[in-house]
Amino acid sequence: MPYRVLIVDDQRMARQLFESVIEGAEWYELAGSLESAEEAAEFCASTQVDLVLMDLIFVNNLAGFDAARAVKKVSPRTKIVIVTSMPEVSYLERAREIGVESFWYKEVGEQPLLALMDRTMAGESVYPDTTPRLLLGNVSSAALTDRELEVLRELLTGATNSEIAEKLCMSERTVKTHITHMLEKTGFKNRTVLAINARISGLVIDG
């Protein structure tokens, strides 16, 4: 009996791509295809769904994480694969905390989506080793430390050094040092340009 798959993605072309993958696969059938993350849990509560392919970003918000959490609550046996094009460094950890089985990057997936689905339904939890490497100014995103990325994420909110220091439990001097190091590495002229480019790239997202 084929596994029933629910697609949740607000981009029509992405849904069509995933639908074609499922329609051409012997062991899967389409249970539904939704453009709204808010409908996912209700659908899973009323319909048999073995696997959900869930996007993260819906109209500029992270509804995918909330929807994945809600699906796990109403249908714990339903497996979830997060599919996203956003390389935000915190997403892998957040997905694991929710209990999402697997994670796949749309543009740079290390293996075909169907192979990842097969492994997930066989009981594996499949995650990439790292987020995709991006060019941020003069350097690869891998050149930034975890602490620098935490500061960078707060910069996107427009927070001052003192506000960042309080949020991250560090001194203002340390915050300033991290920002200075990031400017030196990337070559950007000021914190505003740094924050804008980081947000455009998807490396970090506030919220």
Side-chain angles (χ1 to χ4, degrees):
M1 185 173 181
Y3 295 118
R4 292 172 55 78
V5 182
L6 172 65
I7 298 167
V8 187
D9 196 309
D10 63 353
Q11 296 184 13
R12 184 166 60 106
M13 290 185 64
R15 292 198 307 275
Q16 290 175 341
L17 173 62
F18 298 146
E19 288 167 9
S20 67
V21 170
I22 294 166
E23 289 169 359
E26 179 180 0
W27 299 109
Y28 299 94
E29 66 179 18
L30 186 65
S33 188
L34 306 175
E35 63 179 339
S36 171
E38 286 75 14
E39 299 174 10
E42 182 179 353
F43 189 98
C44 290
S46 60
T47 306
Q48 179 191 340
V49 175
D50 301 301
L51 178 67
V52 178
L53 301 181
M54 176 80 72
D55 193 13
L56 281 181
I57 308 295
F58 290 79
V59 194
N60 296 323
N61 67 70
L62 298 179
F65 279 127
D66 293 334
R69 187 179 292 106
V71 166
K72 283 297 183 183
K73 184 175 181 179
V74 300
S75 185
R77 294 184 179 180
T78 298
K79 297 181 184 296
I80 299 176
V81 174
I82 290 292
V83 290
T84 184
S85 59
M86 302 301 291
E88 217 289 351
V89 294
S90 68
Y91 285 177
L92 296 177
E93 181 180 354
R94 293 176 68 178
R96 285 190 175 99
E97 290 174 349
I98 292 171
V100 168
E101 279 74 17
S102 298
F103 199 106
W104 189 75
Y105 288 111
K106 290 180 181 178
E107 281 79 14
V108 293
E110 295 180 359
Q111 61 181 303
L113 176 59
L114 186 58
L116 183 139
M117 291 166 58
D118 289 343
R119 292 177 63 187
T120 301
M121 296 311 300
E124 290 188 59
S125 182
V126 187
Y127 276 72
D129 294 331
T130 62
T131 57
R133 298 298 187 231
L134 304 174
L135 186 64
L136 187 63
N138 296 331
V139 297
S140 164
S141 56
L144 302 183
T145 68
D146 290 343
R147 206 56 166 156
E148 286 171 348
L149 289 169
E150 290 180 0
V151 172
L152 184 55
R153 187 176 295 107
E154 297 304 320
L155 274 183
L156 266 62
T157 69
T160 65
N161 285 1
S162 61
E163 290 170 337
I164 296 173
E166 182 177 357
K167 176 73 177 293
L168 300 180
C169 299
M170 62 176 67
S171 69
E172 287 187 51
R173 182 176 180 178
T174 300
V175 171
K176 184 177 180 179
T177 297
H178 285 314
I179 294 172
T180 298
H181 286 168
M182 286 189 285
L183 292 175
E184 290 173 347
K185 292 176 181 179
T186 61
F188 294 129
K189 62 182 181 180
N190 58 52
R191 60 194 285 153
T192 301
V193 176
L194 172 64
I196 290 172
N197 279 272
R199 179 60 181 89
I200 290 173
S201 72
L203 176 62
V204 291
I205 298 177
D206 56 306

